[in-house]
Amino acid sequence: MIKTGIAKLDEGMKGGLREKSNVLVIGPPGPEKVGIALKFIEQGLNDGDGSLYITTDVGPKEIEENSSLLAEHANKDLIFIDCYSWTLGEQPAGRKDIMVPGPSALNDLSIGIAQAMQKLFKPDKKLRVVMHSLSTLLLYNNPEVVYRFTQITGARLKSSNATTLFLIEEGMHDQKVVTTIKHLVDSVIEVKNENGKIMLRAPMNGVAQWIEVEVPL
Amino acid sequence: MILSGISKLDEHLNGGFSENKMVLISSVPGMNSRVFAYHLVQANPKLKVCYVVENAFPDQIRRDSSRYLFSETQFNKIAYIDAFSTALGLPSKEKYSAKDATSIDSIIESAEHAVDAEKADVLVIDSLSGMLGKNPSKLSKMIESLRKLSDKCSVVCLYTKWDASEYNDVKSRFDYVVEIKSVEERLLSRSYFKVVKAPGEFNSTAVPFRIGFDGVAVYVPKIIITGPFHAGKTTFIHKVSTKAVSVNRMGTTIALDHGYVEHSGFSVDLFGTPGQERFEFMLDILNKDAFGVVLIVDSTKPETFERAKRMLAHVSRYSLPYIIAANKQDLPSALKPEKVREIMETDAKVIGTVATTGEGCMEALKMLIDMIVEQETL
């Protein structure tokens, strides 16, 4: 089992997410999904797992600003793939992340993932991956291409002992697109924010009812 | 003749690509096929190259190519066709750019213009899969336009194989097809290329390579020969190898057996590990460059199979292709290969061998190499 780091959720899921699975984290625009992703990575760093954070929406530096633990482990057992800073034209000063020339360069992204996995992989080590987010990939690519990317990348990540969270915005894409992507993953964590309360459920993992949780925002 | 710039590839193509042909460089996702284009640019200094870039800013390609030890002057002469900036609503800094980079027609139009204006000898499309991603239904029309362009210059398309059925369709429309594959999906560290289609004679042998500072570097793959103590690993290696050496002490291998063998054009280095448990760490070291594993067991000693199973578990963590040689089949008490498979509780292929006479050894090795080469990633 892979703990998400959110105690109530792990409890409801009888220990955590299934190891080597692909999980879709879906919710309306807002910081909750990233909060879950950060918890997930922090738990991994505490457990000694290797971690990969793929960012398409913000720079790795901004992610680190939300978590000192991530900043401390970056370039060691945490690797960032930066698909965002290409808009600046070059790698931000002082960073050593793997750079991808943009969210439409999906082969470059898969090269980056392969590089990162090579660095992180050890036969007995668990790996954690966050893809933040599929929504950006869908903005820049034909949905068919994103499906194939998700399917192939997901299968590869599983075979390298990784458990992956794919983040996606609710309400931003065609319902058909979201349904297809749900079919490509092993389970789904749904997120919502009700008057400031963060609620989660994971029906395929035994958490059928919404539960209130705390995540950093 | 247009050189690919990778000597082994040129050799397999019988010299290189003929002019005015359509060339497809196809790779599984996660492989950098661009490096093959860089080699081509480097190897043909007298040719004018136009380079359509659809998935990054041309500056990013300039930077990417400068990471390798290629001569910069040739790369500075490339005429880039920017088919990226306008898709983002940004102005292009390049002399040539697609008016609307979201449209395949507009990209092709700008490429046609650049080829004429530059009197190009080679047009590189980076990448065909990216362009098809914009609109898969345009394949036929796009290939038709590129075919027309190939009257004026050679057309080299980089392609990522995301979808097997699309690929088969694409492949059929090209004169030359070079495939870049990897033995094992996960780490992608074991890659090879091979020519699968060419107008004339060609050699379709797989060539393992790595991408290093000087681009594509061809190397000799390793096969690990492992197994419990006194199973016959050293004898096996000496029997199948053209040349072999061992480091022995008191009748057993204490460091490494090393041999060398050729099959279906693949040159393979054989490394035998000592069977004693204290040398297990060497498996980890050797595994990094390994293409596959032969596990040798002594068929007369089922009591050693437990140990063999543990070695197999150790090796299988790397997801390498492997085969089991049930050795010493000439002895009366030897268990049959089927029985060995049963006791070992494995689905792997088990071949009966007699290392002292060489019987079955080469067959076992050939079968493993064929497994490695034929393993499809998609």
Side-chain angles (χ1 to χ4, degrees):
Chain A
M1 288 293 200
I2 290 274
K3 281 191 184 154
T4 61
I6 301 166
K8 265 184 166 172
L9 182 63
D10 289 330
E11 211 173 285
M13 295 193 297
K14 310 239 165 5
L17 294 166
R18 194 156 52 79
E19 227 183 294
K20 300 184 209 175
S21 64
N22 293 316
V23 182
L24 192 68
V25 179
I26 183 164
E32 297 82 7
K33 296 184 292 305
V34 179
I36 294 170
L38 289 178
K39 277 287 217 187
F40 176 71
I41 297 287
E42 285 180 348
Q43 179 71 38
L45 295 174
N46 285 328
D47 290 351
D49 302 342
S51 298
L52 169 63
Y53 199 110
I54 304 161
T55 164
T56 59
D57 299 9
V58 288
K61 196 160 176 257
E62 287 158 76
I63 307 267
E64 280 178 13
E65 277 164 9
N66 292 313
S67 165
S68 55
L69 195 64
L70 264 67
E72 198 184 300
H73 285 267
N75 302 318
K76 289 177 222 147
D77 38 4
L78 168 66
I79 293 178
F80 280 103
I81 294 184
D82 181 353
C83 314
Y84 171 77
S85 304
W86 59 281
T87 46
L88 313 170
E90 59 184 32
Q91 183 146 36
R95 299 294 313 183
K96 288 182 190 159
D97 315 303
I98 296 175
M99 296 287 289
V100 170
S104 63
L106 291 186
N107 193 41
D108 294 75
L109 177 53
S110 53
I111 295 171
I113 294 174
Q115 269 175 4
M117 291 326 262
Q118 271 185 38
K119 279 190 196 156
L120 291 170
F121 182 80
K122 294 213 177 76
D124 298 319
K125 207 169 172 178
K126 291 175 191 166
L127 297 178
R128 293 171 182 244
V129 180
V130 168
M131 172 71 223
H132 169 195
S133 68
L134 280 184
S135 292
T136 315
L137 298 190
L138 283 163
L139 279 183
Y140 285 89
N141 300 282
N142 185 316
E144 294 292 331
V145 178
V146 178
Y147 302 155
R148 283 184 225 151
F149 171 82
T150 309
Q151 196 176 16
I152 294 174
T153 311
R156 279 189 179 169
L157 288 171
K158 272 195 205 180
S159 73
S160 7
N161 303 347
T163 308
T164 305
L165 301 188
F166 290 93
L167 276 43
I168 194 167
E169 307 282 343
E170 199 170 12
M172 212 169 112
H173 315 286
D174 204 27
Q175 196 50 44
K176 209 182 95 207
V177 171
V178 175
T179 311
T180 310
I181 289 184
K182 279 185 179 170
H183 280 296
L184 296 175
V185 295
D186 302 298
S187 64
V188 179
I189 298 177
E190 294 171 49
V191 194
K192 65 177 178 182
N193 187 329
E194 256 181 13
N195 310 319
K197 285 188 200 164
I198 299 165
M199 313 287 281
L200 296 182
R201 66 174 181 183
M204 291 140 157
N205 299 67
V207 186
Q209 302 303 320
W210 291 99
I211 51 170
E212 191 187 341
V213 298
E214 275 182 39
V215 293
L217 295 181
Chain B
M1 204 63 114
I2 293 171
L3 299 172
S4 76
I6 299 161
S7 55
K8 203 73 193 166
L9 180 55
D10 285 329
E11 195 185 305
H12 286 193
L13 290 163
N14 275 327
F17 301 109
S18 306
E19 280 97 354
N20 299 90
K21 295 289 183 206
M22 302 261 290
V23 178
L24 185 70
I25 312 276
S26 157
S27 78
V28 294
M31 301 291 312
N32 190 355
S33 53
R34 243 173 228 147
V35 180
F36 282 69
Y38 300 159
H39 273 283
L40 190 141
V41 170
Q42 168 82 9
N44 301 284
K46 292 198 177 127
L47 302 185
K48 181 73 205 179
V49 178
C50 286
Y51 193 112
V52 175
V53 46
E54 147 303 316
N55 45 25
F57 293 116
D59 270 348
Q60 290 173 310
I61 303 297
R62 288 189 179 98
R63 244 197 324 268
D64 185 57
S65 57
S66 69
R67 289 193 298 146
Y68 304 96
L69 302 173
F70 294 129
S71 121
E72 258 181 57
T73 47
Q74 266 150 261
F75 285 85
N76 291 339
K77 289 190 299 190
I78 295 177
Y80 285 97
I81 296 131
D82 181 349
F84 186 64
S85 302
T86 54
L88 304 170
L90 299 169
S92 175
K93 294 189 286 184
E94 304 298 321
K95 189 169 163 195
Y96 305 103
S97 75
K99 275 196 200 87
D100 173 10
T102 59
S103 141
I104 293 179
D105 295 337
S106 170
I107 297 176
I108 295 283
E109 199 186 299
S110 56
E112 286 165 346
H113 170 62
V115 164
D116 286 338
E118 296 288 329
K119 296 190 177 61
D121 303 293
V122 179
L123 173 69
V124 177
I125 306 279
D126 180 359
S127 69
L128 186 71
S129 38
M131 280 172 71
L132 281 173
K134 296 179 205 293
N135 191 347
S137 64
K138 290 260 181 170
L139 173 64
S140 295
K141 194 167 169 245
M142 183 159 79
I143 296 287
E144 206 179 295
S145 316
L146 292 176
R147 185 56 79 179
K148 264 187 211 144
L149 271 173
S150 75
D151 291 338
K152 298 173 188 166
C153 62
S154 299
V155 178
V156 178
C157 294
L158 306 183
Y159 177 84
T160 307
K161 182 183 166 187
W162 293 103
D163 181 294
S165 61
E166 180 194 84
Y167 172 61
N168 288 331
D169 190 6
V170 168
K171 189 168 126 179
S172 66
R173 299 163 193 258
F174 279 78
D175 304 310
Y176 287 96
V177 179
V178 178
E179 289 183 350
I180 307 170
K181 294 184 164 190
S182 63
V183 166
E184 208 282 309
E185 283 200 20
R186 186 184 62 217
L187 297 175
L188 288 177
S189 54
R190 305 171 189 97
S191 330
Y192 63 93
F193 63 77
K194 63 175 184 176
V195 182
V196 296
K197 193 176 173 190
E201 270 186 38
F202 65 98
N203 177 344
S204 64
T205 302
V207 183
F209 70 94
R210 271 190 209 90
I211 294 180
F213 290 117
D214 42 6
V216 172
V218 169
Y219 74 99
V220 179
K222 284 193 188 94
I223 283 184
I224 298 181
I225 314 289
T226 189
F229 191 54
H230 275 309
K233 300 177 291 295
T234 304
T235 319
F236 183 99
I237 290 176
H238 281 258
K239 214 69 201 181
V240 295
S241 299
T242 328
K243 267 187 267 169
V245 287
S246 303
V247 183
N248 289 324
R249 192 167 178 193
M250 313 228 303
T252 191
T253 308
I254 51 149
L256 271 182
D257 292 313
H258 178 235
Y260 166 83
V261 69
E262 276 187 28
H263 169 58
S264 66
F266 239 127
S267 315
V268 179
D269 269 343
L270 302 177
F271 280 88
T273 69
Q276 296 93 319
E277 216 134 344
R278 65 194 157 99
F279 291 114
E280 205 135 83
F281 72 96
M282 289 178 69
L283 268 179
D284 292 320
I285 299 171
L286 288 171
N287 259 328
K288 286 183 182 140
D289 289 325
F291 251 60
V293 178
V294 180
L295 179 80
I296 302 188
V297 296
D298 181 342
S299 314
T300 67
K301 288 202 183 113
E303 65 273 19
T304 63
F305 289 8
E306 265 314 304
R307 161 103 183 99
K309 267 162 83 174
R310 282 203 304 280
M311 295 179 99
L312 205 54
H314 196 87
V315 165
S316 64
R317 295 188 306 180
Y318 294 89
S319 318
L320 287 169
Y322 64 86
I323 202 162
I324 297 171
N327 198 26
K328 308 197 185 174
Q329 285 295 320
D330 55 328
L331 299 181
S333 59
L335 296 168
K336 294 275 161 264
E338 303 81 63
K339 190 72 190 159
V340 173
R341 184 194 282 126
E342 204 184 301
I343 304 178
M344 291 280 295
E345 295 172 313
T346 172
D347 308 326
K349 287 186 179 147
V350 181
I351 315 262
T353 57
V354 184
T356 45
T357 63
E359 194 187 320
C361 297
M362 203 57 203
E363 287 74 8
L365 209 54
K366 282 177 179 172
M367 200 175 277
L368 177 65
I369 294 173
D370 289 341
M371 265 165 73
I372 293 167
V373 179
E374 280 162 22
Q375 192 171 337
E376 267 288 343
T377 49
L378 274 174

mmCIF file of all heavy atoms in Angstrom, chain B residues 215-245:
data_model
loop_
_atom_site.group_PDB
_atom_site.id
_atom_site.type_symbol
_atom_site.label_atom_id
_atom_site.label_comp_id
_atom_site.label_asym_id
_atom_site.label_seq_id
_atom_site.Cartn_x
_atom_site.Cartn_y
_atom_site.Cartn_z
ATOM 1 N N GLY B 215 26.519 12.073 -29.399
ATOM 2 C CA GLY B 215 25.363 11.562 -30.113
ATOM 3 C C GLY B 215 25.225 10.057 -29.965
ATOM 4 O O GLY B 215 25.480 9.505 -28.894
ATOM 5 N N VAL B 216 24.836 9.411 -31.071
ATOM 6 C CA VAL B 216 24.549 7.985 -31.031
ATOM 7 C C VAL B 216 25.853 7.185 -30.974
ATOM 8 O O VAL B 216 26.698 7.318 -31.850
ATOM 9 C CB VAL B 216 23.737 7.580 -32.280
ATOM 10 C CG1 VAL B 216 23.591 6.070 -32.369
ATOM 11 C CG2 VAL B 216 22.376 8.254 -32.257
ATOM 12 N N ALA B 217 26.035 6.403 -29.949
ATOM 13 C CA ALA B 217 27.225 5.564 -29.816
ATOM 14 C C ALA B 217 26.797 4.105 -29.821
ATOM 15 O O ALA B 217 26.036 3.672 -28.969
ATOM 16 C CB ALA B 217 27.964 5.903 -28.534
ATOM 17 N N VAL B 218 27.281 3.376 -30.803
ATOM 18 C CA VAL B 218 26.935 1.970 -30.943
ATOM 19 C C VAL B 218 27.772 1.154 -29.964
ATOM 20 O O VAL B 218 28.930 1.475 -29.740
ATOM 21 C CB VAL B 218 27.198 1.536 -32.398
ATOM 22 C CG1 VAL B 218 27.125 0.034 -32.548
ATOM 23 C CG2 VAL B 218 26.208 2.224 -33.330
ATOM 24 N N TYR B 219 27.191 0.151 -29.345
ATOM 25 C CA TYR B 219 27.973 -0.656 -28.413
ATOM 26 C C TYR B 219 27.590 -2.127 -28.493
ATOM 27 O O TYR B 219 26.644 -2.498 -29.172
ATOM 28 C CB TYR B 219 27.816 -0.136 -26.985
ATOM 29 C CG TYR B 219 26.469 -0.455 -26.370
ATOM 30 C CD1 TYR B 219 26.309 -1.538 -25.494
ATOM 31 C CD2 TYR B 219 25.356 0.313 -26.657
ATOM 32 C CE1 TYR B 219 25.070 -1.838 -24.942
ATOM 33 C CE2 TYR B 219 24.122 0.017 -26.100
ATOM 34 C CZ TYR B 219 23.983 -1.041 -25.242
ATOM 35 O OH TYR B 219 22.768 -1.347 -24.704
ATOM 36 N N VAL B 220 28.365 -2.921 -27.798
ATOM 37 C CA VAL B 220 28.139 -4.357 -27.799
ATOM 38 C C VAL B 220 27.328 -4.728 -26.566
ATOM 39 O O VAL B 220 27.723 -4.430 -25.451
ATOM 40 C CB VAL B 220 29.504 -5.088 -27.764
ATOM 41 C CG1 VAL B 220 29.301 -6.592 -27.750
ATOM 42 C CG2 VAL B 220 30.356 -4.663 -28.945
ATOM 43 N N PRO B 221 26.181 -5.349 -26.749
ATOM 44 C CA PRO B 221 25.360 -5.674 -25.584
ATOM 45 C C PRO B 221 25.936 -6.839 -24.776
ATOM 46 O O PRO B 221 26.661 -7.673 -25.318
ATOM 47 C CB PRO B 221 24.026 -6.084 -26.190
ATOM 48 C CG PRO B 221 24.354 -6.545 -27.565
ATOM 49 C CD PRO B 221 25.569 -5.797 -28.007
ATOM 50 N N LYS B 222 25.592 -6.873 -23.515
ATOM 51 C CA LYS B 222 26.056 -7.942 -22.640
ATOM 52 C C LYS B 222 24.928 -8.948 -22.387
ATOM 53 O O LYS B 222 23.779 -8.569 -22.222
ATOM 54 C CB LYS B 222 26.408 -7.375 -21.262
ATOM 55 C CG LYS B 222 27.692 -6.624 -21.182
ATOM 56 C CD LYS B 222 28.017 -6.418 -19.703
ATOM 57 C CE LYS B 222 29.201 -5.504 -19.528
ATOM 58 N NZ LYS B 222 28.851 -4.125 -19.329
ATOM 59 N N ILE B 223 25.304 -10.199 -22.325
ATOM 60 C CA ILE B 223 24.367 -11.203 -21.833
ATOM 61 C C ILE B 223 25.008 -11.831 -20.605
ATOM 62 O O ILE B 223 26.202 -12.162 -20.617
ATOM 63 C CB ILE B 223 24.037 -12.241 -22.927
ATOM 64 C CG1 ILE B 223 23.046 -11.613 -23.909
ATOM 65 C CG2 ILE B 223 23.445 -13.511 -22.312
ATOM 66 C CD1 ILE B 223 22.551 -12.519 -24.988
ATOM 67 N N ILE B 224 24.232 -11.943 -19.558
ATOM 68 C CA ILE B 224 24.771 -12.471 -18.314
ATOM 69 C C ILE B 224 24.502 -13.965 -18.229
ATOM 70 O O ILE B 224 23.391 -14.412 -18.483
ATOM 71 C CB ILE B 224 24.123 -11.763 -17.117
ATOM 72 C CG1 ILE B 224 24.473 -10.291 -17.185
ATOM 73 C CG2 ILE B 224 24.592 -12.365 -15.807
ATOM 74 C CD1 ILE B 224 23.925 -9.494 -16.074
ATOM 75 N N ILE B 225 25.542 -14.713 -17.905
ATOM 76 C CA ILE B 225 25.392 -16.142 -17.700
ATOM 77 C C ILE B 225 25.534 -16.367 -16.197
ATOM 78 O O ILE B 225 26.595 -16.112 -15.625
ATOM 79 C CB ILE B 225 26.501 -16.937 -18.436
ATOM 80 C CG1 ILE B 225 26.702 -16.430 -19.873
ATOM 81 C CG2 ILE B 225 26.209 -18.434 -18.382
ATOM 82 C CD1 ILE B 225 25.608 -16.748 -20.833
ATOM 83 N N THR B 226 24.441 -16.786 -15.585
ATOM 84 C CA THR B 226 24.502 -16.937 -14.136
ATOM 85 C C THR B 226 23.900 -18.290 -13.735
ATOM 86 O O THR B 226 23.370 -19.010 -14.573
ATOM 87 C CB THR B 226 23.798 -15.747 -13.436
ATOM 88 O OG1 THR B 226 24.049 -15.816 -12.051
ATOM 89 C CG2 THR B 226 22.304 -15.752 -13.677
ATOM 90 N N GLY B 227 23.999 -18.615 -12.470
ATOM 91 C CA GLY B 227 23.471 -19.895 -11.995
ATOM 92 C C GLY B 227 24.228 -20.318 -10.747
ATOM 93 O O GLY B 227 25.273 -19.756 -10.433
ATOM 94 N N PRO B 228 23.706 -21.337 -10.040
ATOM 95 C CA PRO B 228 24.366 -21.776 -8.805
ATOM 96 C C PRO B 228 25.766 -22.330 -9.073
ATOM 97 O O PRO B 228 26.127 -22.631 -10.208
ATOM 98 C CB PRO B 228 23.432 -22.874 -8.278
ATOM 99 C CG PRO B 228 22.144 -22.700 -8.993
ATOM 100 C CD PRO B 228 22.473 -22.077 -10.302
ATOM 101 N N PHE B 229 26.495 -22.483 -8.000
ATOM 102 C CA PHE B 229 27.847 -23.030 -7.971
ATOM 103 C C PHE B 229 27.936 -24.338 -8.764
ATOM 104 O O PHE B 229 27.090 -25.219 -8.609
ATOM 105 C CB PHE B 229 28.154 -23.277 -6.483
ATOM 106 C CG PHE B 229 29.576 -23.604 -6.178
ATOM 107 C CD1 PHE B 229 30.605 -22.767 -6.596
ATOM 108 C CD2 PHE B 229 29.884 -24.735 -5.442
ATOM 109 C CE1 PHE B 229 31.923 -23.061 -6.281
ATOM 110 C CE2 PHE B 229 31.202 -25.028 -5.130
ATOM 111 C CZ PHE B 229 32.220 -24.194 -5.555
ATOM 112 N N HIS B 230 28.940 -24.447 -9.627
ATOM 113 C CA HIS B 230 29.211 -25.675 -10.383
ATOM 114 C C HIS B 230 28.073 -26.138 -11.293
ATOM 115 O O HIS B 230 27.888 -27.326 -11.513
ATOM 116 C CB HIS B 230 29.586 -26.824 -9.427
ATOM 117 C CG HIS B 230 31.051 -26.800 -9.091
ATOM 118 N ND1 HIS B 230 32.008 -26.724 -10.079
ATOM 119 C CD2 HIS B 230 31.704 -26.821 -7.918
ATOM 120 C CE1 HIS B 230 33.206 -26.696 -9.505
ATOM 121 N NE2 HIS B 230 33.053 -26.741 -8.191
ATOM 122 N N ALA B 231 27.309 -25.180 -11.823
ATOM 123 C CA ALA B 231 26.232 -25.562 -12.737
ATOM 124 C C ALA B 231 26.783 -25.744 -14.158
ATOM 125 O O ALA B 231 26.147 -26.367 -15.004
ATOM 126 C CB ALA B 231 25.132 -24.508 -12.725
ATOM 127 N N GLY B 232 27.964 -25.157 -14.421
ATOM 128 C CA GLY B 232 28.573 -25.291 -15.745
ATOM 129 C C GLY B 232 28.636 -23.985 -16.532
ATOM 130 O O GLY B 232 28.718 -23.997 -17.752
ATOM 131 N N LYS B 233 28.623 -22.863 -15.804
ATOM 132 C CA LYS B 233 28.605 -21.566 -16.469
ATOM 133 C C LYS B 233 29.864 -21.323 -17.290
ATOM 134 O O LYS B 233 29.808 -20.889 -18.443
ATOM 135 C CB LYS B 233 28.446 -20.442 -15.436
ATOM 136 C CG LYS B 233 27.176 -20.538 -14.633
ATOM 137 C CD LYS B 233 27.089 -19.460 -13.571
ATOM 138 C CE LYS B 233 28.090 -19.615 -12.438
ATOM 139 N NZ LYS B 233 27.869 -20.822 -11.619
ATOM 140 N N THR B 234 31.009 -21.599 -16.695
ATOM 141 C CA THR B 234 32.275 -21.343 -17.374
ATOM 142 C C THR B 234 32.395 -22.217 -18.624
ATOM 143 O O THR B 234 32.781 -21.735 -19.694
ATOM 144 C CB THR B 234 33.449 -21.636 -16.409
ATOM 145 O OG1 THR B 234 33.251 -20.848 -15.244
ATOM 146 C CG2 THR B 234 34.767 -21.271 -17.047
ATOM 147 N N THR B 235 32.039 -23.495 -18.483
ATOM 148 C CA THR B 235 32.117 -24.412 -19.619
ATOM 149 C C THR B 235 31.203 -23.923 -20.735
ATOM 150 O O THR B 235 31.560 -23.927 -21.914
ATOM 151 C CB THR B 235 31.675 -25.826 -19.173
ATOM 152 O OG1 THR B 235 32.231 -26.078 -17.887
ATOM 153 C CG2 THR B 235 32.125 -26.872 -20.148
ATOM 154 N N PHE B 236 30.001 -23.470 -20.363
ATOM 155 C CA PHE B 236 29.031 -22.956 -21.322
ATOM 156 C C PHE B 236 29.647 -21.807 -22.120
ATOM 157 O O PHE B 236 29.622 -21.790 -23.347
ATOM 158 C CB PHE B 236 27.779 -22.494 -20.559
ATOM 159 C CG PHE B 236 26.661 -21.993 -21.426
ATOM 160 C CD1 PHE B 236 25.585 -22.822 -21.735
ATOM 161 C CD2 PHE B 236 26.649 -20.691 -21.916
ATOM 162 C CE1 PHE B 236 24.532 -22.368 -22.518
ATOM 163 C CE2 PHE B 236 25.612 -20.232 -22.704
ATOM 164 C CZ PHE B 236 24.548 -21.069 -23.008
ATOM 165 N N ILE B 237 30.216 -20.847 -21.412
ATOM 166 C CA ILE B 237 30.778 -19.659 -22.074
ATOM 167 C C ILE B 237 31.915 -20.043 -23.012
ATOM 168 O O ILE B 237 31.981 -19.587 -24.152
ATOM 169 C CB ILE B 237 31.236 -18.619 -21.025
ATOM 170 C CG1 ILE B 237 29.998 -18.023 -20.352
ATOM 171 C CG2 ILE B 237 32.082 -17.522 -21.665
ATOM 172 C CD1 ILE B 237 30.287 -17.057 -19.242
ATOM 173 N N HIS B 238 32.781 -20.929 -22.528
ATOM 174 C CA HIS B 238 33.920 -21.315 -23.358
ATOM 175 C C HIS B 238 33.451 -22.064 -24.595
ATOM 176 O O HIS B 238 34.065 -21.983 -25.647
ATOM 177 C CB HIS B 238 34.917 -22.153 -22.544
ATOM 178 C CG HIS B 238 35.778 -21.282 -21.678
ATOM 179 N ND1 HIS B 238 37.080 -20.963 -22.002
ATOM 180 C CD2 HIS B 238 35.506 -20.645 -20.518
ATOM 181 C CE1 HIS B 238 37.572 -20.156 -21.065
ATOM 182 N NE2 HIS B 238 36.638 -19.952 -20.143
ATOM 183 N N LYS B 239 32.357 -22.791 -24.461
ATOM 184 C CA LYS B 239 31.878 -23.600 -25.572
ATOM 185 C C LYS B 239 31.254 -22.727 -26.666
ATOM 186 O O LYS B 239 31.442 -22.982 -27.848
ATOM 187 C CB LYS B 239 30.823 -24.606 -25.050
ATOM 188 C CG LYS B 239 30.867 -25.920 -25.775
ATOM 189 C CD LYS B 239 32.143 -26.673 -25.437
ATOM 190 C CE LYS B 239 32.473 -27.707 -26.503
ATOM 191 N NZ LYS B 239 33.715 -28.433 -26.129
ATOM 192 N N VAL B 240 30.497 -21.706 -26.291
ATOM 193 C CA VAL B 240 29.799 -20.910 -27.309
ATOM 194 C C VAL B 240 30.631 -19.741 -27.834
ATOM 195 O O VAL B 240 30.326 -19.195 -28.888
ATOM 196 C CB VAL B 240 28.437 -20.349 -26.808
ATOM 197 C CG1 VAL B 240 27.468 -21.489 -26.516
ATOM 198 C CG2 VAL B 240 28.624 -19.476 -25.587
ATOM 199 N N SER B 241 31.681 -19.372 -27.109
ATOM 200 C CA SER B 241 32.397 -18.152 -27.464
ATOM 201 C C SER B 241 33.444 -18.379 -28.537
ATOM 202 O O SER B 241 34.049 -19.440 -28.630
ATOM 203 C CB SER B 241 33.103 -17.574 -26.240
ATOM 204 O OG SER B 241 32.164 -17.259 -25.264
ATOM 205 N N THR B 242 33.629 -17.317 -29.336
ATOM 206 C CA THR B 242 34.727 -17.284 -30.282
ATOM 207 C C THR B 242 36.025 -17.138 -29.501
ATOM 208 O O THR B 242 37.039 -17.720 -29.820
ATOM 209 C CB THR B 242 34.559 -16.053 -31.210
ATOM 210 O OG1 THR B 242 33.161 -15.809 -31.367
ATOM 211 C CG2 THR B 242 35.186 -16.296 -32.539
ATOM 212 N N LYS B 243 35.968 -16.318 -28.462
ATOM 213 C CA LYS B 243 37.119 -16.099 -27.585
ATOM 214 C C LYS B 243 36.594 -16.042 -26.161
ATOM 215 O O LYS B 243 35.517 -15.504 -25.919
ATOM 216 C CB LYS B 243 37.779 -14.740 -27.887
ATOM 217 C CG LYS B 243 38.911 -14.808 -28.893
ATOM 218 C CD LYS B 243 39.589 -13.457 -28.977
ATOM 219 C CE LYS B 243 38.976 -12.634 -30.099
ATOM 220 N NZ LYS B 243 39.381 -11.226 -30.100
ATOM 221 N N ALA B 244 37.321 -16.583 -25.217
ATOM 222 C CA ALA B 244 36.827 -16.521 -23.837
ATOM 223 C C ALA B 244 37.980 -16.535 -22.848
ATOM 224 O O ALA B 244 39.022 -17.151 -23.100
ATOM 225 C CB ALA B 244 35.890 -17.687 -23.547
ATOM 226 N N VAL B 245 37.804 -15.847 -21.751
ATOM 227 C CA VAL B 245 38.788 -15.898 -20.658
ATOM 228 C C VAL B 245 38.056 -16.085 -19.335
ATOM 229 O O VAL B 245 36.907 -15.684 -19.182
ATOM 230 C CB VAL B 245 39.642 -14.611 -20.545
ATOM 231 C CG1 VAL B 245 40.643 -14.523 -21.662
ATOM 232 C CG2 VAL B 245 38.758 -13.373 -20.491
#
